Amino acid sequence: MSQAELILAFESSCDETSVAVIKNGNEILSNIIATQINSHKRFGGVVPEVASRHHVEQITTVVDMALKEAGVDYDQLDAVAVTYGPGLVGALLIGVTAAKAIAFAHDLPLIPINHMAGHIYAARFVKPLQYPLLALVVSGGHTELVYMPAAGEFEIIGDTRDDAAGEAYDKIGRVLNIPYPAGKEVDRLAHLGQDTFHFPRAMAASDDLDFSFSGLKSAFINTVHHADQIGEQLSREDLAASFQAAVVDVLVEKTLHALQAYPVAQLVVAGGVAANQGLREALTAALATSAPAVELIVPPLRLCGDNAAMIGACAHIELAKKHFADERLNADPGLNFAHA
Amino acid sequence: MYTLAMDTSNQAMSVAVMHDTTLMAETTINHKKTHSEQLLPTIKTLLAAAELRPQQLDRIVVADGPGSYTGIRIAVTTAKTLAYTLQKTLVGVSSLAVLAAGVTGTKALIVPVMDARRQNVFAGGYQWIDDTLTNVIADAHLPLTQLLKEVQVLKQPVIFVGADVVKFAPDIRATLGAQAGFADALSAYPQARRLAVLGQHAKPVSVFDFVPRYLRLTEAESTWLQTHHDEGHEPYVEKV
Ligand SMILES: [Zn+2]
């Protein structure tokens, strides 16, 4: 085949409606993202029913923009891909339903994609991936260490036992009166402060690769409440810096452990929290001293959050394997990788 | 004119393919399986049975609510995406009108009712006038007691229809007595062929702006609106 492979990809698992056209699995012809953040800000977090309503309202407009920006017509497409889980069921259903309708109308193969696999494949837009590789996926809903023995194969080797890292950011953000989503602002404040509170590094001593952030979250909240009660004013910058230092320490330490147990040439950091500067800096520094042979790949900011380009990149692998679904495809909100 | 019509507003799903006012194929399924799993396979089967390719359709008609929020979104998303991608005419019809259209041969006021929980209903009033189903009481989300009062003052025969009517029958009889009649149980299922005909006369809508007729804000939004204004805000959805 001399012709380029083109995939129309859909993502609607949470509060972004996104459609992309991806060429050969590594080139973005278009990647339209309609974000609902301004809507959910009103409620301090994503309200599933509100998210679903926005997705229906946006979906055809976003598809149309993606096709027009790419300058691609249906007869040039090789497949339609869509996130079918994990995520909010009502939100996922809009992308799944629209993708199925387009695949059916134009007789195109339909490729179901795991959202977390998509996050990892955002790295494919940076450079070719070498297997086996290790991925640290950190977002509002997930904190996972994923081992990939080969393209399109995923094993969870470390997982969060309670809150996801991004969730912990949003919860302590609420205590600091930072509007949802709090990650970016906490990251900014953290760079202006010092780690003076020395919050607990949960699970840092244990040998497994699992994470836990609820102890840290409680310690943070208790510290702030205690200060409120005795009328003491704490530095927001130092609080943010101390919280972020604890999160980053745990993420880095577990990742280094994982690299010892699973020797790989590349480490991919993916998901919304991969946009965090503190995490990027700490991982870069840690790899330089502890695992200089391992190459760190972090997708550009726009591809760290939810977007359809990453779904299209992952679909390129699945298309080669002919992993197709039919018109019965349903959303699977609890979809997960298998544990190693 | 080839019309594809679909209704997934409640538990029963109905899909039909029509040629003008002639029915070519229709399926109604009322068995616990998700609409997401069965709607498109059914459309595919019916088009094959009618020996039509999707491109041959002229008009796509969808029951756009009220009903189960997830349910109406499945049909609305399917219809709006098909109409957009095939460049066909899109039409939305009230899911309550579809139920009313199943009650024929009467001049009485037809009141389709769906349970909206906590003694609230989605309901409207319809009447056959010159062989055309006409909306005489706008679809609304309201307390059952208020609906019954509004109907009572009209002092004319009423026929209630819908799967949830059985549950409300004692209340309906208590308020309306002999004024109230009830459609037979089989009329409680939507019939897509009737939806298709209603849609043949309805005004086309935009394949981009079209959204379900929820008739009700989300709980989060109504709570928020008690203490906030919904004006002059940044767009809730932004392309970034
Ligand atoms: Zn995500």
Side-chain angles (χ1 to χ4, degrees):
Chain A
M1 266 214 316
S2 60
Q3 223 188 335
E5 172 205 281
L6 295 176
I7 294 177
L8 180 69
F10 288 72
E11 156 63 38
S12 71
S13 62
C14 190
D15 59 346
E16 264 95 28
T17 317
S18 181
V19 179
V21 178
I22 301 304
K23 183 175 165 184
N24 299 331
N26 60 10
E27 192 184 326
I28 299 174
L29 299 190
S30 63
N31 184 25
I32 309 297
I33 305 170
T35 178
Q36 311 171 2
I37 282 184
N38 287 341
S39 181
H40 299 289
K41 242 186 215 166
R42 294 178 289 173
F43 319 116
V46 176
V47 176
E49 176 60 24
V50 173
S52 304
R53 291 185 178 197
H54 285 309
H55 285 302
V56 184
E57 153 201 310
Q58 294 294 321
I59 189 71
T60 42
T61 305
V62 175
V63 178
D64 195 54
M65 289 173 76
L67 287 169
K68 289 210 168 105
E69 190 175 307
V72 162
D73 215 336
Y74 296 107
D75 56 9
Q76 296 168 267
L77 292 176
D78 292 279
V80 176
V82 62
T83 302
Y84 74 113
L88 303 170
V89 65
L92 287 164
L93 277 171
I94 305 306
V96 166
T97 303
K100 286 200 298 187
I102 288 184
F104 166 71
H106 303 286
D107 214 2
L108 290 163
L110 177 69
I111 307 174
I113 297 293
N114 178 315
H115 178 77
M116 305 308 287
H119 271 306
I120 296 171
Y121 271 93
R124 183 62 191 86
F125 294 112
V126 180
K127 57 171 52 183
L129 303 182
Q130 295 167 39
Y131 307 96
L133 70 70
L134 203 67
L136 171 66
V137 191
V138 242
S139 71
H142 298 267
T143 306
E144 286 171 5
L145 277 163
V146 179
Y147 177 68
M148 292 186 63
E153 290 177 26
F154 309 86
E155 292 167 19
I156 295 185
I157 56 169
D159 201 350
T160 181
R161 296 196 171 169
D162 37 62
D163 293 348
E167 207 177 344
Y169 269 90
D170 286 333
K171 284 179 181 168
I172 69 105
R174 222 166 287 163
V175 177
L176 294 178
N177 284 317
I178 296 169
Y180 166 89
K184 207 171 156 190
E185 177 62 9
V186 173
D187 191 16
R188 190 189 69 83
L189 286 173
H191 276 79
L192 303 172
Q194 300 291 327
D195 178 6
T196 54
F197 293 96
H198 308 294
F199 292 126
R201 269 65 171 157
M203 324 279 299
S206 72
D207 274 344
D208 66 43
L209 298 171
D210 287 342
F211 305 94
S212 166
F213 295 103
S214 71
L216 164 62
K217 183 192 66 192
S218 306
F220 183 97
I221 294 172
N222 290 341
T223 302
V224 174
H225 282 179
H226 180 69
D228 281 352
Q229 274 165 8
I230 59 170
E232 191 189 342
Q233 194 69 33
L234 300 179
S235 152
R236 288 160 63 80
E237 290 79 6
D238 289 347
L239 279 169
S242 304
F243 171 79
Q244 177 143 310
V247 172
V248 166
D249 272 2
V250 174
L251 291 174
V252 169
E253 175 139 0
K254 292 288 180 183
T255 304
L256 290 180
H257 270 283
L259 286 171
Q260 279 163 12
Y262 296 83
V264 294
Q266 290 179 333
L267 170 69
V268 169
V269 180
V273 182
N276 186 287
Q277 278 305 322
L279 177 61
R280 288 177 180 228
E281 289 158 12
L283 269 174
T284 307
L287 286 186
T289 48
S290 304
V294 176
E295 181 181 30
L296 177 66
I297 309 179
V298 191
L301 284 187
R302 185 177 163 79
L303 300 179
C304 285
D306 291 349
N307 68 89
M310 68 188 198
I311 303 305
C314 187
H316 168 74
I317 305 293
E318 299 298 295
L319 177 59
K321 296 183 176 192
K322 294 197 176 0
H323 285 172
F324 300 140
D326 66 16
E327 290 83 8
R328 287 169 299 182
L329 179 68
N330 201 0
D332 185 350
L335 180 69
N336 258 320
F337 296 137
H339 276 263
Chain B
M1 177 163 75
Y2 290 111
T3 305
L4 169 68
M6 59 194 89
D7 186 336
T8 62
S9 330
N10 289 293
Q11 187 187 296
M13 175 194 82
S14 190
V15 185
V17 179
M18 307 268 292
H19 184 213
D20 297 328
T21 51
T22 304
L23 177 65
M24 299 178 81
E26 184 182 51
T27 293
T28 301
I29 300 177
N30 184 38
H31 191 68
K32 287 185 196 262
K33 206 168 191 209
T34 68
H35 294 314
S36 164
E37 289 166 280
Q38 65 192 7
L39 177 58
L40 200 56
T42 303
I43 291 172
K44 190 181 182 183
T45 306
L46 293 185
L47 287 177
E51 296 183 75
L52 286 178
R53 285 173 296 109
Q55 287 77 6
Q56 287 173 273
L57 292 168
D58 297 293
R59 177 172 285 231
I60 297 175
V61 183
V62 60
D64 57 6
S68 138
Y69 296 155
T70 303
I72 52 186
R73 275 194 290 267
I74 298 290
V76 165
T77 305
T78 300
K80 128 179 217 188
T81 308
L82 283 176
Y84 157 72
T85 201
L86 295 165
Q87 295 179 286
K88 305 300 177 187
T89 304
L90 175 67
V91 159
V93 171
S94 157
S95 310
L96 291 167
V98 179
L99 288 177
V103 184
T104 55
T106 177
K107 294 277 180 224
L109 175 69
I110 305 163
V111 177
V113 174
M114 294 173 190
D115 188 2
R117 282 185 290 232
R118 292 181 221 155
Q119 285 300 303
N120 289 313
V121 294
F122 293 119
Y126 292 82
Q127 212 149 17
W128 291 101
I129 300 173
D130 300 331
D131 291 329
T132 303
L133 187 73
T134 310
N135 178 232
V136 291
I137 301 173
D139 292 357
H141 170 255
L142 75 180
L144 177 65
T145 49
Q146 190 188 329
L147 170 74
L148 296 180
K149 265 183 225 151
E150 283 179 28
V151 168
Q152 194 177 27
V153 297
L154 295 175
K155 294 192 180 4
Q156 54 173 310
V158 190
I159 299 174
F160 288 88
V161 61
D164 303 316
V165 164
V166 179
K167 185 173 2 178
F168 299 126
D171 288 328
I172 294 172
R173 282 202 189 92
T175 309
L176 299 177
Q179 192 190 343
F182 298 89
D184 70 287
L186 290 180
S187 315
Y189 305 114
Q191 300 167 36
R193 73 189 102 143
R194 304 230 176 245
L195 167 62
V197 173
L198 292 176
Q200 283 166 356
H201 304 289
K203 227 176 91 193
V205 293
S206 156
V207 293
F208 296 115
D209 302 335
F210 186 56
V211 289
R213 179 187 322 234
Y214 299 106
L215 297 185
R216 197 182 174 188
L217 279 179
T218 62
E219 221 162 283
E221 287 166 302
S222 13
T223 308
W224 183 83
L225 280 171
Q226 284 168 10
T227 48
H228 298 80
H229 290 289
D230 199 17
E231 291 136 23
H233 58 76
E234 297 167 278
Y236 286 148
V237 183
E238 280 181 314
K239 314 283 187 300
V240 291

